[in-house]
Amino acid sequence: MAKNLPAGAIRFGCHVAAIHPAADPGNHGAVLTTHDGSIITANVLIGCDGSNSVVAKYLGLSVPKSTPRAFLRGFTRYPHGHPFGDHFLRLRGKGFFVGRSPVTDSLVSFFVACPNPPCADDVTRDDVGAMKQLVLRTLQDSECPAEIVEMVRRSDPESLNVVASVRYRPPWQVALASFQRGAATVAGDAMHAMGSYIGQGGSAALEDALVLARALSSRAAGAGGGRVLSEEEEVEVAGCAAAAIGAYVRERRLRVARLSLESFTVGTLLRARSVVVKIVCLAILGLLGNQALAHTSYDCGRL
Ligand SMILES: Cc1cc2nc3c(=O)[nH]c(=O)nc-3n(C[C@H](O)[C@H](O)[C@H](O)COP(=O)(O)OP(=O)(O)OC[C@H]3O[C@@H](n4cnc5c(N)ncnc54)[C@H](O)[C@@H]3O)c2cc1C
């Protein structure tokens, strides 16, 4: 991909500090200022800058909400192979929620969440050893299956990290927010941060990329052909891109709103003490087909 782009088109280490609309009112592009003071003029702006997105703020989206919740994430190696095949495990128990995903025949990635962690206050991101001990105690006290306890116990210390809070956009915001400003949009967590309750945030980000690339290639294909554009051509490219971004947002809206609703509902269910809230959550999940993991059979089409 890189060799098809003009020299200098890819820049690393550009931390975007501020964004303003292009000065020319007919131009849909944006002007970015980086932390080191450089200015980048963009005909098209796609913010994949995560849940604390600067581009999302430029679009007028509010800051995602945050729930204190301690996650321990890491990898465990099984030198003689693991018996889990390619099965993704989600397991909820009293006081914990585990996700386990095989990476290779001998390596799995996992996370363990403690919904009401006494650890959130006294275990910091850097104190992964203490967090691991706390998670092990929680799992043992909850009579979690031995293979899960063993997975955490044998995890690679270098791979462990702690996530101290979960950021998410409420589903109603994802359903209603404007994800477009001229030729600027967002994708991935910048658009639909949803915590990790259903393990779909990263997968949905890949779907975003595919749908956006398809929309851009069908409406703005070949624009400029990699050469330096005249001012009029730049305005035209940004106009085509704005139309493509509109199509992208329309196509993604329902899918990401639904995933956000499902993730939000699972999170609410895990924290709920009220029986009524639990029943409502279970009813919503039933309607969404959560038990059959219906969200995993979505087909976003081909490029
Ligand atoms: C515990 C846990 C478990 C999870 N499990 C799963 C799972 O099983 N399956 C799944 O699909 N998803 C899972 N997720 C969600 C997944 O990790 C995220 O949805 C995914 O990483 C989002 O990717 P992204 O590229 O949109 O954002 P990020 O991965 O956050 O990347 C954003 C990038 O933008 C850069 N950036 C930020 N600000 C700026 C700026 N101002 N200027 C320039 N660059 C900037 C950052 O440095 C970073 O490189 C999990 C999340 C958690 C916390």
Side-chain angles (χ1 to χ4, degrees):
M1 282 167 77
K3 73 178 191 305
N4 293 323
L5 295 171
I10 300 178
R11 301 188 212 176
F12 294 101
C14 293
H15 195 104
V16 178
I19 307 171
H20 298 285
D24 173 1
N27 191 331
H28 295 278
V31 180
L32 288 71
T33 309
T34 63
H35 267 187
D36 65 6
S38 308
I39 302 287
I40 301 172
T41 306
N43 294 323
V44 181
L45 173 60
I46 300 161
C48 311
D49 47 346
S51 58
N52 196 22
S53 167
V54 183
V55 182
K57 280 177 209 140
Y58 171 70
L59 301 185
L61 301 177
S62 44
V63 177
K65 293 189 179 304
S66 156
T67 310
R69 190 156 192 248
F71 279 90
L72 179 72
R73 295 195 289 185
F75 292 93
T76 302
R77 197 166 286 286
Y78 295 78
H80 304 296
H82 60 70
F84 315 127
D86 57 4
H87 177 66
F88 173 60
L89 173 88
R90 291 192 304 175
L91 184 67
R92 278 176 221 144
K94 204 176 158 204
F96 72 89
F97 177 39
V98 176
R100 183 188 64 204
S101 176
V103 181
T104 66
D105 291 347
S106 57
L107 184 71
V108 300
S109 83
F110 71 86
F111 69 82
V112 183
C114 306
N116 304 304
C119 45
D121 298 331
D122 53 8
V123 175
T124 66
R125 262 163 205 270
D126 307 325
D127 202 351
V128 285
M131 179 67 179
K132 178 178 169 182
Q133 292 313 319
L134 195 129
V135 163
L136 280 170
R137 272 204 307 280
T138 306
L139 296 178
Q140 279 159 343
D141 292 350
S142 315
E143 294 174 6
C144 177
E147 66 176 34
I148 302 291
V149 178
E150 208 42 34
M151 173 184 73
V152 177
R153 196 192 312 283
R154 290 174 41 186
S155 56
D156 173 3
E158 293 290 307
S159 74
L160 292 177
N161 71 30
V162 176
V163 178
S165 69
V166 175
R167 286 214 176 122
Y168 67 96
R169 283 196 192 287
W172 49 91
Q173 196 185 101
V174 177
L176 301 173
S178 170
F179 290 122
Q180 177 173 19
R181 180 169 173 185
T185 191
V186 276
D189 275 14
M191 184 188 228
H192 46 67
M194 61 179 82
S196 59
Y197 300 106
I198 58 170
Q200 287 293 302
S203 312
L206 295 175
E207 294 172 10
D208 295 341
L210 190 145
V211 174
L212 181 55
R214 189 170 55 211
L216 284 169
S217 65
S218 69
R219 292 182 191 237
R227 65 192 160 74
V228 177
L229 303 181
S230 68
E231 252 175 55
E232 293 76 34
E233 285 174 320
E234 284 192 0
V235 172
E236 197 189 322
V237 167
C240 291
I245 286 169
Y248 153 74
V249 171
R250 280 192 296 282
E251 186 170 341
R252 292 302 290 151
R253 175 85 66 189
L254 186 60
R255 166 70 172 158
V256 292
R258 195 188 155 116
L259 286 175
S260 299
L261 175 61
E262 187 170 338
S263 182
F264 179 80
T265 310
V266 172
T268 307
L269 179 64
L270 285 170
R271 288 189 304 275
R273 292 176 194 275
S274 149
V275 177
V276 177
V277 174
K278 285 185 185 177
I279 290 172
V280 172
C281 289
L282 288 170
I284 294 173
L285 292 177
L287 288 172
L288 292 173
N290 171 270
Q291 295 311 321
L293 293 178
H295 58 242
T296 59
S297 50
Y298 178 80
D299 183 358
C300 64
R302 304 178 78 83
L303 264 178

